[in-house]
Amino acid sequence: MRKSISALLICICISCAEKAKKEENQTTSEVPKEKVTFMTLDPGHFHAALVQKTMYPQVDSTSYVYAPDGPEVQDFLSKIDGYNTRPDSPTSWTVKKQLGDDYLNAMLAEKPGNVMIVAGKNSKKVDYILEAVKSGLNVYADKPLVINEEGFEKLKEAFKIADEKGLMIYDIMTERFESTTGMQKLFSTLPSVFGELVDGSVDEPAISKESVHHFSKIVSGKPLVRPSWFFDIVEEGEGIVDVTTHLVDLVQWEAFPDQIIDSSDVEMLKARRWPTTLTKAEFTKVTKQEEYPDYLKKDLDGDKLNVYCNGEMIYKINGKHAKVSVIWNYEAPAGAADTHYSIMRGTKSNLIIKQGEEEGYKPILYVEANDDTGFEAELNNALEQQVAQHYPGTTVERISKKMWKVNIPDSFKVGHEAHFGQVTQNYLKYLDKGELPAWEVPNMITKYYTTIEAYKMARSK
């Protein structure tokens, strides 16, 4: 099964990348069976707005937001207004708002739409999802869907109800649409270049992924203001159950494409957690709040804030060793941004993604041959016969005896914010079809089983 790759997902990825480059606002012209209407619930994270940075022909231009009044929903509305008024490919959303403390019940009672979007406090997310599917609504949710054991049990119940009612729960896995990740996956399916994924070990896993993020960053051209609760692990969750969701997803998606993975296929071996410490000045700069709120005082060491946003796990999945790490720093170096490192170790070569200073803080894929004898010919043949079908114009550049740099055309490098439109287009196609791929739901459940097992192990120490 490692020799096959989902033609559907690859075609969607490539098609979306090309269109996003030409015009951020442009989407598929297919006529849907039924119009989709978005309802955004309690948008506490900027990812909620990024879903609407693009228009979709399947989606009604009138959307709804239900939320408590305050700076978070106002920031959401401001971003939508910014997309509507931008000079380049403006959107045309009309947002009808229902603001107040009873926002959840108001949405469930009125139900002006058929898809609930949720991106905000992770502590509440699974409860929102459960109530939505009970009320007959589809769910499109930012990661993570759960941050603790209790939430995982609720998520399994939500999936059961959704299945019984013919509804769809889908989490927003943007990293599947990053071109270097897609290329790494593609090469890993080519036995002539990659061979097979090795079993690996605890010290040298078969597949490793590390993500470095920053509290202070620029989003949609403006400094990001984070809510104070973002630094509360009770509300946001620890790092080992948050950003790791993307990385665990990529391990499954790349190493075992189109395969159903059960939780019994996962064995957690090691897990640890550690804090990033912020000064009060740093906290104030990124939240615009002069004082720490009472709920953060439990995490203070003097006037410094310890945020348990870093985590690492090593586990076996289908007999292969995998490692996932997430690190949060306060601010990126000049010219840098969030970064990603990944390696897949094969019997013939290693596929390595780096995004450091040498790469100009842009993700670059390298192919490292275990034995360079005749390897370059095999690599060039793969480019011509397989890679060109999905990423036309891709070339390789030999940079050392056993190392090649993969040059992916800029047309496929659309950026993180554009990935939200790509995932949304994917979701809309599944909605129109009325079903997800057979592996998506069981693998979502296994994904969250994995992060929660790591969370439990890390906290037990």
Side-chain angles (χ1 to χ4, degrees), residues 25 36-38 49-64 76-77 79-86 90-96 117 424 428:
N25 213 37
V36 172
T37 301
F38 288 156
L50 288 178
V51 172
Q52 292 183 247
K53 192 175 180 180
T54 299
M55 300 295 296
Y56 314 92
Q58 304 98 318
V59 180
D60 197 307
S61 61
T62 297
S63 65
Y64 299 80
F76 168 80
L77 293 169
K79 282 183 169 59
I80 301 298
D81 182 64
Y83 303 149
N84 282 342
T85 57
R86 67 189 178 205
T91 53
S92 56
W93 297 105
T94 298
V95 181
K96 295 188 176 181
I117 298 172
T424 304
L428 292 170

Side-chain angles (χ1 to χ4, degrees), residues 44-47 71-72 75 79 143 213-219 223-231 236 242-243 278 282-289 295-296 328-330 338:
H45 196 287
F46 68 92
H47 286 175
E72 293 163 23
D75 181 68
K79 282 183 169 59
K143 62 78 195 161
H213 289 253
H214 303 89
F215 290 127
S216 179
K217 63 194 298 184
I218 302 296
V219 173
L224 178 64
V225 177
R226 295 190 185 272
S228 297
W229 59 257
F230 183 81
F231 300 92
E236 177 66 13
D242 187 4
V243 175
L278 299 182
E282 289 171 337
F283 174 81
T284 296
K285 181 180 177 182
V286 78
T287 64
K288 306 306 179 188
Q289 302 298 313
Y295 56 77
L296 287 180
W328 279 85
N329 298 320
Y330 171 66
D338 294 349

